[in-house]
Amino acid sequence: MLKVRDLDAFYGPSQALFGMELAIEAGQVVTLMGRNGMGKTTTVHTIMGLMPARRGTVEFEGARVDGLPAFRIARLGLGLVPEGRQIFPNLSVRENLVAASANRTARPNPWTIARVFEFFPRLAERQRNMGNQLSGGEQQMLAIGRALMTNPKLLILDEATEGLAPLIRQEIWSCLARLKSEGQAILVIDKNVSALIPLADRHHIVEKGRVVWAGSSQALAGDKDLQHRYLGV
Amino acid sequence: MMAALRTPRGIATALILLVLAALPLLTQAFDQRYLLSIGTRIIIWSIAAVSLNMILGYGGMVSFGHAMFFGIGGYAVGILSAHGVSSGWIQWPVALLAATAWAALIGLLSLRTRGLYFIMITLAFAQLVYYVGSGLEAYGGDDGLNISRSRFPGLIDLRDKASFYWLCFALLCASLWFCSRYANSRFGLVIRGAKSNELRMTALGFPVFRYRLAAFTIAGALGGLSGILLANEGAYISPAMMSWMKSGDLIVIIVLGGMGTLFGPLYGTIAFFVLEEALPPVLNLVHKGWGEYWMIVFGPLLVLIALYARGGIDSLLGRRHD
């Protein structure tokens, strides 16, 4: 579905990605893990066309997407839940969802406002509140709901549980598990190894702009030394 | 609708619209014809303010040249009139087309910039139009040109002040209706969302530039309509109608009334004109000759609004729930 090959990216003169590699198959949940500043968000931004790739390729469903304008990449079916949530503060909860709604990939049984409200009942209660009147957890639900409204083939979550209370985190993780059971492909960036191991099929550990380890949940769970070395757990 | 009438905002807005609808009857009853011409200008400026609010208030595109559309609309009517084309059926579509085309062209160039650069480039285009206008010696140059009013034979006589007023009022109502549809449509949501986070809107799959260009063009067309009306109101066109100070006044009106609110431009225009008319005589009462310096009171008032009533007059009418 998504194939990232040998990707280099720069912030001005300083290189942030050094030959990043990543692959996701349909229906899979895949993770990018690593400490802060290792290039996880940069990888996502480069995939989404929000920053340019200096070298390497990004393929989505067999077609090159690197170099396309960001809105075109999004329209192909990549939905990003960005770091820091980035809700539109001047739109209501409902308006945040309506603004994003689209089914450009003609998915059967598409996400609608009603389905998002069913998935996150809290959002239905808060639908007339403005985006800046929500708690962190509610904002995160809205950010996920907003991305789902674009009916993405691949959902990308960048630090979706950061700064949330443990109970709310748990709720987000169980939401992702439900999405996975419906066949949604997901790329998750997070640091929460214990929650990701049961959820994901495959993991990538990122260190200084490249993948230093990739493998299954089983392999990651069994290698405490690896977890300690790169993830500090 | 009925529920909206029970809020202070709903009551105030309904009252204002009622008074405006009945203004020609009121000014006739009290024999104050002069007030009708101020009323007409308030309505026309409100239409211009509504159009600027569509991009500035809802979209965060701070155009500092919006009065150029007064000029484009006005000069299109005036130039045709000077050549003997007096039919409004020709003048008005040509003027609207000219304003639309000009807005699309300068939008294409200026919307590639952001922030201060956008402000400066829109001002530059407005100055360009201004100097072209004042260079048109055949059409009066700096002094401007007296024109005859657009003719709509058998339909309406624009020389009749009350008829003209009601036409303007109907067009204002249509503009407000259009603006409310715009603001709550998916198109408007993209414009409003992009105001707070352009990159996020792009990452959701929206080509923000194209949406903004469309909004800028629509606002230019509506601004052109207000120019057509302004030329007909005074039967006169001049470069002064599109000076940069008029563009500034339009921004002041929107800030005063409430940016990004439906009726804010209307409140703002009324407040602006009422203060402009009322402050000089009031100050003259305090001390003869002070009326000339009414800006000394008006300026600090604007500062107070900017500091303490960020949502303008609209925010003084209570919290919004929509």
Side-chain angles (χ1 to χ4, degrees):
Chain A
M1 181 176 227
L2 181 80
K3 280 196 180 67
V4 173
R5 285 204 196 93
D6 206 14
L7 204 62
D8 285 3
F10 289 73
Y11 288 102
S14 56
Q15 189 164 1
L17 297 185
F18 298 82
M20 176 62 76
E21 302 268 343
L22 190 65
I24 302 169
E25 300 303 326
Q28 271 191 338
V29 174
V30 170
T31 71
L32 266 184
M33 289 188 276
R35 283 190 277 256
N36 286 333
M38 290 305 169
K40 304 186 299 291
T41 296
T42 308
T43 304
V44 168
H45 281 188
T46 314
I47 293 171
M48 293 296 294
L50 298 171
M51 66 182 281
R54 185 76 63 88
R55 205 169 60 90
T57 59
V58 180
E59 260 180 40
F60 186 62
E61 300 200 304
R64 288 273 296 267
V65 300
D66 49 284
L68 288 182
F71 78 88
R72 288 220 181 280
I73 296 176
R75 287 182 164 213
L76 291 172
L78 283 106
L80 172 62
V81 179
E83 190 174 15
R85 310 185 269 269
Q86 305 195 16
I87 293 308
F88 300 115
N90 56 342
L91 300 185
S92 69
V93 167
R94 175 176 270 276
E95 286 173 333
N96 263 282
L97 295 171
V98 173
S101 80
N103 187 13
R104 299 186 184 94
T105 53
R107 170 207 289 246
N109 187 23
W111 285 93
T112 58
I113 298 232
R115 257 190 90 193
V116 169
F117 282 164
E118 198 184 315
F119 201 71
F120 296 115
R122 284 280 282 284
L123 292 183
E125 292 163 28
R126 306 281 261 140
Q127 58 176 299
R128 289 171 67 82
N129 285 93
M130 300 307 276
N132 56 4
Q133 296 169 328
L134 304 179
S135 72
E138 288 165 344
Q139 281 184 32
Q140 191 60 59
M141 291 174 197
L142 181 55
I144 295 173
R146 185 177 62 181
L148 289 175
M149 287 298 284
T150 67
N151 284 293
K153 290 177 178 163
L154 173 63
L155 183 67
I156 304 178
L157 294 115
D158 193 355
E159 306 278 8
T161 61
E162 197 177 34
L164 297 182
L167 264 177
I168 310 282
R169 278 186 186 200
Q170 209 43 59
E171 208 172 318
I172 301 285
W173 291 126
S174 68
C175 284
L176 296 187
R178 273 161 69 199
L179 287 173
K180 185 191 178 185
S181 70
E182 292 175 19
Q184 176 73 54
I186 309 175
L187 171 62
V188 191
I189 294 171
D190 216 287
K191 300 189 191 73
N192 203 329
V193 186
S194 57
L196 288 170
I197 284 176
L199 176 71
D201 303 296
R202 222 180 133 69
H203 306 268
H204 300 78
I205 295 179
V206 182
E207 177 92 351
K208 293 184 180 148
R210 64 169 67 88
V211 172
V212 291
W213 184 90
S216 66
S217 285
Q218 218 178 358
L220 179 64
D223 196 338
K224 293 285 173 209
D225 178 52
L226 181 78
Q227 293 186 26
H228 183 73
R229 192 155 18 120
Y230 293 113
L231 306 172
V233 289
Chain B
M1 189 75 196
M2 280 296 130
L5 277 177
R6 274 180 229 125
T7 63
R9 176 180 290 103
I11 293 165
T13 308
L15 273 178
I16 287 172
L17 288 176
L18 267 177
V19 169
L20 288 178
L23 195 68
L25 304 176
L26 294 172
T27 55
Q28 198 176 22
F30 295 99
D31 201 25
Q32 297 280 341
R33 301 287 158 78
Y34 166 67
L35 284 181
L36 185 58
S37 99
I38 296 177
T40 311
R41 269 186 292 133
I42 288 179
I43 302 281
I44 297 172
W45 273 71
S46 295
I47 296 174
V50 167
S51 73
L52 178 59
N53 189 40
M54 287 173 68
I55 49 175
L56 192 155
Y58 289 108
M61 293 168 258
V62 184
S63 168
F64 193 15
H66 207 64
M68 72 179 123
F69 296 107
F70 276 151
I72 305 271
Y75 268 75
V77 167
I79 289 172
L80 285 173
S81 157
H83 289 282
V85 181
S86 58
S87 167
W89 296 115
I90 298 172
Q91 287 180 350
W92 291 37
V94 167
L96 286 175
L97 214 64
T100 308
W102 180 247
L105 179 69
I106 66 163
L108 204 58
L109 299 168
S110 52
L111 287 169
R112 293 177 191 281
T113 64
R114 300 278 172 279
L116 194 57
Y117 297 100
F118 182 75
I119 295 175
M120 286 298 122
I121 198 167
T122 48
L123 174 63
F125 278 119
Q127 289 299 90
L128 181 99
V129 176
Y130 174 86
Y131 283 109
V132 167
S134 72
L136 290 173
E137 293 298 336
Y139 306 106
D142 268 333
D143 299 328
L145 188 67
N146 287 313
I147 63 170
S148 59
R149 293 189 170 83
S150 306
R151 297 225 168 86
F152 291 94
L155 187 71
I156 185 173
D157 183 359
L158 299 189
R159 284 169 302 182
D160 178 64
K161 293 219 182 309
S163 308
F164 181 63
Y165 175 87
W166 270 313
L167 174 67
C168 294
F169 180 70
L171 289 171
L172 171 64
C173 292
S175 308
L176 287 167
W177 175 81
F178 178 74
C179 185
S180 97
R181 295 296 302 260
Y182 160 85
N184 295 305
S185 68
R186 156 70 166 271
F187 178 83
L189 291 179
V190 173
I191 294 287
R192 287 160 63 196
K195 174 190 180 181
S196 61
N197 196 334
E198 181 180 348
L199 202 60
R200 191 59 25 228
M201 219 21 120
T202 309
L204 284 170
F206 295 101
V208 170
F209 174 80
R210 286 182 216 167
Y211 276 75
R212 284 187 170 152
L213 181 59
F216 192 86
T217 306
I218 293 167
L222 196 56
L225 175 67
S226 60
I228 295 172
L229 297 174
L230 203 60
N232 273 290
E233 192 267 330
Y236 174 70
I237 54 167
S238 91
M241 70 201 284
M242 50 175 159
S243 80
W244 65 272
M245 283 174 287
K246 303 279 183 198
S247 295
D249 288 346
L250 280 171
I251 295 178
V252 165
I253 281 171
I254 288 177
V255 173
L256 192 64
M259 282 189 283
T261 63
L262 182 58
F263 289 101
L266 179 61
Y267 306 144
T269 313
I270 293 173
F272 187 86
F273 275 79
V274 166
L275 286 171
E276 191 182 26
E277 291 293 329
L279 277 178
V282 168
L283 287 174
N284 273 332
L285 279 182
V286 177
H287 189 283
K288 197 141 180 60
W290 283 12
E292 213 178 308
Y293 307 112
W294 63 278
M295 286 275 189
I296 288 178
V297 178
F298 187 68
L301 207 65
L302 275 183
V303 173
L304 287 178
I305 291 259
L307 282 177
Y308 298 111
R310 293 291 292 273
I313 294 167
D314 182 84
S315 69
L316 303 177
L317 295 170
R319 277 176 63 98
R320 297 200 75 85
H321 292 287
D322 49 331

